[in-house]
Amino acid sequence: MTGLLSALFHAQLRTDYRTSLVVCASVARHSVANGPNNKTQSLRMEIMSSLQMDSDLQKKIDHEIRMRDGACKLLAACSQKDQALEAAKSLQTCSTRIMAYMSELQRMKEAQVMQKITRRSSDAGPLDDRQPCKGKVAISDLRIPLMWKDTEYFKNKGELHRCAVFCLLQLGGEIFDTDMVIVDRTLTDICFDNTIVFNEAGPGFELRVELYSCCSEDDYSAGSTPRKLASKLSSSLGRSAGKKLRAAMEPGACPISNGGASPLLLPVPSVPGPKYHLLAHTILKLSHVQDNFRTHDLTISGNEECSYWLPLYGSMCCRLAAQPHCMTKQMMSGSLKVKQLGGEPQNWTKVHAVLKGASLSCYHRLEDVEANVEPAFTIGINKETRIRAAEKDPDSKGQHICISNQYGGDEVTHTVTTDSRDETHRWMEAFWQHFYDMSQWKQCCDDLMKIELPSPRKPPLVTPKQGSLYHEMVIESSDDLSSTVSDILARRMQELELRSQLGTSPWMTLFEENIQKSAGRPRPCDSRLLGPSPCSPHRPPRSPMSPQRYPQLGLLSSEASLTSDSDSHCSTSPCSQKHAWPDSNFSLLSSSPSRLRPRTLSLDAKLSTLRGRGYGAYQCPCQTQPSSIVNPLQTPRSPQSLCSTQTTLSCSSSTSSNSSSNSEGNHSLDLTEGVPFSRPSPARRSLRNLRVRLDPRNWLQSQV
Amino acid sequence: MSSYIPGQPVTAVVQKIEIQKLRQGDRLILGFSIGGGIDQDPSQNPYSEDKSDKGIYVTRVAPGGPADVAGLRVGDKIMQVNGWDMTMIKHYHALKKLTKSNEVVVRLLVTRKSLEQVVRGAMGFHKEEH
C-alpha cells in the first residue's frame, strides 16, 4: 500500500501525465479489487483535479524560471546601476516565487496523500467541515521609519551611503513586490506607495512582508570589488538562499527524489551584480487588520557590519484592510415570503431577498436588484441576530424561519418562509454559513473596509544621470525659438545661481560678453539679480506693474500653496520659477539670442556642480540696461496665459491648504495655463519635485 | 522698507491692518499667501529690497478676499501678527500664527516702501515749511 502511494507521490511530482494516468488506473484497479464504491470515483476525480492544479502550478513555475533566466541575462548585460538594481530585484522576486510555488506543490501532494490515507482507513462519510468564505486583503501605504545617528552625518562627509530597498509581500501562493526605493541618510522613512491586493485569502491568512536591501554604491563587476566589500558580500545569496530553501522545505518534508524532469532544489544562479539581502520581515494576520493605519514590529536580520544595513527604527506602519466575500458578494438570493409585522397572520409579502454583508435586503422585484433601486426593506443579519426554524406550519408547504434582532430594548422578529422544504433548508444553510463567516472574519464584518484598487502604474522613471538640460524641458512652440532657448538657459542659470549664492564659473563667460557690454564696471548692487532693485530708476512703480506681474506671481503662489504643510515640495520648481519672474534679470540675454548656442553636453551637470561654488561677481546689470528690462515687462510673453492664470488663481485661491485640494489645484494649473515651459509631464514634474525636495534652499509660499 | 543693520533694532513705518477671517466650511481663511522665513532662501524673494531680508512677505492677495478688503497689498512685509513677531520666524511658524483656529481676527503690522516714502515726503515737506 505504501509502495503504491509513494509511487503515486513521485509520479505526480513529475507531471508526466501518462505515468500518472497509469498509476491512477492502477489505483482504480486496486480499489475495484476491494470492491467498487463511490469513493474510488471521487478519488479518481480528485487525482485528476489535483493533476490539473499541479499543471497550473508547474506552468507558473516554468514561467517564473523563464523570467528569472531573463533577469539573469539582463543583469549580466546591463551597465547602468539603476538598471542593474531593478534586474536584481526581479531576480529576487522570481526566485522567491519559484520557491513558494515549489513548496505549495509539495504541500498539495502531502495533503492529498494524507487525505487518501485517512479516507481509506476511516471510511467515514464526507467531512462536513464548514469552510469560511475567502476575501480580499489589501496592504497599502507601507512606511518604515529609519533612525539615523548623528554620527552618520559627521562620519560620512563625502558621498551618501545609499541602499536600494524594496518589499516582497507574500500571502498564500501570491507574491508581489513593491517598487524599488533608493534610501540614503537624507530620508527619515522608507515609503512604498504601492497598494497590493490579494484576492483569495482565507481568514487565517498570513501575510509575510519582507524588506530586502542592497548597497547601491559599489562596483559590481566581480573583478574590481574592493576587498572589504568582497568579504562582506561573501555571505552570498547562495548561502542564504540555501537556508531559505531548507526552511521552506522544512514542514513535513520528505526527501524528494530527483527522478523528475526539473531539479527541485534550485540553486540561485550566482550572477555578478547587486544582490539583495533580507533586512527585516514581519508576518501580519487577521488580528492586524483595521480600517486605519497601524504600527507593527519588524524582525530585523543582519547587523551593522553588513553592507546592506540600514538603521531601522524597528517598526513598520501600514494600512491592512480586508474585504471578506460575505460583505461584498451576494451570498444567497432567492424569493421569500415575508410576514408583515403587525398585519394579518395570513398576510405574506413576496419579495426577492439578497443576503449580502450585514443585511438581508428585500426587493419587490428581481429587476430592482440590477437597477440599484433601494430595497423595500432590510432585515439586519449580524452577530447578534438569532435565526431559528419554526415548526412546520400545517397550512404552508415550507418551514418558517424566524429572524430576531435586538434594536435598543425591543426585539423585532421577522418571519419568512419559502415555497419548499429544500428552499428553506438552503436558506438556513446560507444563514449558518454567513454566521460562520462573520465569526471567522471578526472585525472585518463590522463595516465594509474600503480598498482602493491600485491605479494604473506610471511608466517607470528612468532618470538619466547625464541627461542634458534639454531632456527635462518642454518647449512650447513660440515665435522665436532661439530666444526661447536663451530664455530657458537664462532662467536655468539664474535659478541655479541664486541657489548657489556665491562663486563664479568658467562657462559664464558665455553670457559674460553681454554682461560686460552692459555692465561696464561692476558695481555692487546687492549682488542679487532678482527683484526690484532700488538703484534702477527705470523700474516702474509696483502698482501699475501688478496687473502683469501679479498673475504670474500668483501662478507661483498657487502652485506653491501645495506645500504649505510639507516642506519644500514642488514649491519653487525650476519650471515655475522661470515664468514667475520673467521680467527680472537676464532679459538682457534675450536681446542677443544668437550668441547662445544650445549646448547638448550636460550643461545640467555643470550647473549642478556650481552649487557648492562661490557666487561670482555677477553684478546687477539692471541699472545699465534699462531698455532691456522694461521691454520684457511691457511685452507680455504669452498674453493668453495671463487670462488663464487669473482664472486658475481664482479657483485655487479658495481652496484651503490641505494636500488633496492642493493637488487638484496643481492639476488644474497644468491643464489650463498656456505659459511656456509650464506644462511638465508627470514624470518630469516628479523628477523636478524630487530635485526640489532634495534641495533644502527654497522660498516657500503658503496660502492662509 | 527699513534697512537692517545687524545688532540694531529694526525701525519701520508700519500700518495696522485688521483682517476678519472668512469661514469656509470648517476652515477660516484670510485670502493671501505668504513667503519667506528664516529657514527660507531670501534671495528668491521678489519683494524685498534687501536680498538678505528673511522676513515674511505677502506674495499674493486674493481679490475681494478678507485681506484685500482690509487693505493688505502684495509685497507688504508683515512685522507682527496679533503681537507675535514675524521678522525672525520660520515659515511654518509664521503660518501657524496666522491660521490659529480659535482666532477670528488677526491684527497685522505691515510695512511697505510706499509708506516710508509718504512719511519721508511729509517730513521733508514739514522741514521745508520750516
Side-chain angles (χ1 to χ4, degrees), chain A residues 66-174:
Chain A
R66 272 199 300 274
M67 294 268 293
R68 207 184 57 166
D69 291 338
C72 291
K73 287 200 194 92
L74 184 62
L75 194 56
C78 64
S79 53
Q80 286 221 346
K81 201 178 290 175
D82 35 9
Q83 283 178 11
L85 287 170
E86 285 286 342
K89 176 174 90 113
S90 5
L91 181 64
Q92 179 69 39
T93 312
C94 293
S95 308
T96 317
R97 280 196 183 126
I98 291 168
M99 287 200 300
Y101 293 149
M102 291 288 190
S103 39
E104 177 73 23
L105 201 63
Q106 194 191 348
R107 258 198 304 270
M108 271 177 16
K109 303 296 177 284
E110 288 163 17
Q112 282 159 21
V113 171
M114 289 300 133
Q115 218 175 29
K116 269 167 258 162
I117 290 174
T118 51
R119 276 213 183 193
R120 283 172 166 262
S121 56
S122 66
D123 204 1
L127 291 161
D128 194 30
D129 54 353
R130 209 177 276 280
Q131 295 296 320
C133 67
K134 303 265 180 212
K136 272 208 292 200
V137 171
I139 182 167
S140 60
D141 304 296
L142 273 151
R143 186 172 68 87
I144 299 168
L146 297 166
M147 191 173 60
W148 299 100
K149 295 196 283 239
D150 3 347
T151 50
E152 289 280 340
Y153 291 90
F154 299 127
K155 193 165 52 156
N156 308 341
K157 270 204 186 124
E159 294 243 333
L160 286 176
H161 173 68
R162 282 204 168 101
C163 279
V165 299
F166 73 99
C167 270
L168 272 185
L169 298 111
Q170 179 176 7
L171 194 153
E174 298 176 53

Side-chain angles (χ1 to χ4, degrees), chain A residues 498 501 528 530-532 550 553-554 557 564 577 581 649 653-654 656 698-704, chain B residues 24 27 30-36 40-41 43-47 51 59-61 63 91 95 99:
Chain A
L498 291 171
Q501 293 270 341
R528 293 290 179 269
L530 204 53
Y550 175 57
L553 294 165
S557 332
S564 54
Q577 274 227 315
W581 298 295
L649 271 186
S653 65
S654 54
S656 52
N698 274 311
W699 204 68
L700 270 182
Q701 295 183 39
S702 310
Q703 197 174 349
V704 293
Chain B
Q24 265 202 357
R27 301 187 77 93
L30 290 103
F32 67 100
S33 297
I34 57 166
Q40 305 292 310
D41 179 6
S43 60
Q44 298 175 39
N45 185 345
Y47 305 105
K51 285 307 156 188
T59 58
R60 190 174 77 81
V61 175
H91 184 92
L95 198 64
T99 53

Side-chain angles (χ1 to χ4, degrees), chain A residues 55 57-67 98 101 262:
Chain A
S55 70
L57 261 181
Q58 190 65 37
K59 273 201 210 96
K60 280 200 240 183
I61 292 175
D62 288 336
H63 177 249
E64 289 301 321
I65 291 176
R66 272 199 300 274
M67 294 268 293
I98 291 168
Y101 293 149
S262 56

Side-chain angles (χ1 to χ4, degrees), chain A residues 605-627:
Chain A
K606 287 205 180 138
L607 291 175
S608 30
T609 58
L610 291 178
R611 223 169 278 196
R613 305 263 302 274
Y615 180 74
Y618 202 115
Q619 303 312 329
C620 177
C622 41
Q623 67 275 29
T624 48
Q625 274 270 328
S627 55

Side-chain angles (χ1 to χ4, degrees), chain A residues 350-480:
Chain A
K350 196 163 194 303
V351 292
H352 182 84
V354 170
L355 176 63
K356 181 169 119 171
S359 56
L360 181 71
S361 312
C362 301
Y363 299 86
H364 283 306
R365 303 171 310 162
L366 174 62
E367 294 72 36
D368 289 348
V369 183
E370 307 302 318
N372 268 343
V373 173
E374 285 294 310
F377 54 92
T378 310
I379 304 174
I381 309 276
N382 52 37
K383 284 177 261 210
E384 279 87 46
T385 311
R386 281 173 301 133
I387 299 187
R388 58 185 173 83
E391 261 123 50
K392 190 169 181 333
D393 207 0
D395 49 337
S396 72
K397 283 167 262 166
Q399 277 179 302
H400 292 331
I401 303 173
C402 295
I403 306 171
S404 313
N405 274 308
Q406 201 88 10
Y407 294 115
D410 311 316
E411 180 171 330
V412 178
T413 305
H414 295 265
T415 312
V416 302
T417 189
T418 59
D419 293 326
S420 70
R421 184 86 73 94
D422 284 339
E423 273 291 304
T424 313
H425 187 70
R426 285 204 313 137
W427 274 100
M428 288 302 290
E429 185 57 37
F431 287 133
W432 290 131
Q433 177 68 36
H434 202 69
F435 283 137
Y436 182 70
D437 291 339
M438 292 204 292
S439 70
Q440 290 297 301
W441 281 98
K442 302 194 181 90
Q443 74 271 23
C444 307
C445 295
D446 294 337
D447 247 321
L448 187 63
M449 295 187 194
K450 257 205 275 270
I451 290 182
E452 271 132 21
L453 290 167
S455 50
R457 289 174 73 95
K458 299 182 288 240
L461 274 176
V462 180
T463 66
K465 287 272 168 98
Q466 277 126 14
S468 95
L469 190 59
Y470 302 98
H471 288 173
E472 299 176 29
M473 289 203 268
V474 177
I475 299 182
E476 296 298 326
S477 68
S478 65
D479 322 57
D480 188 1

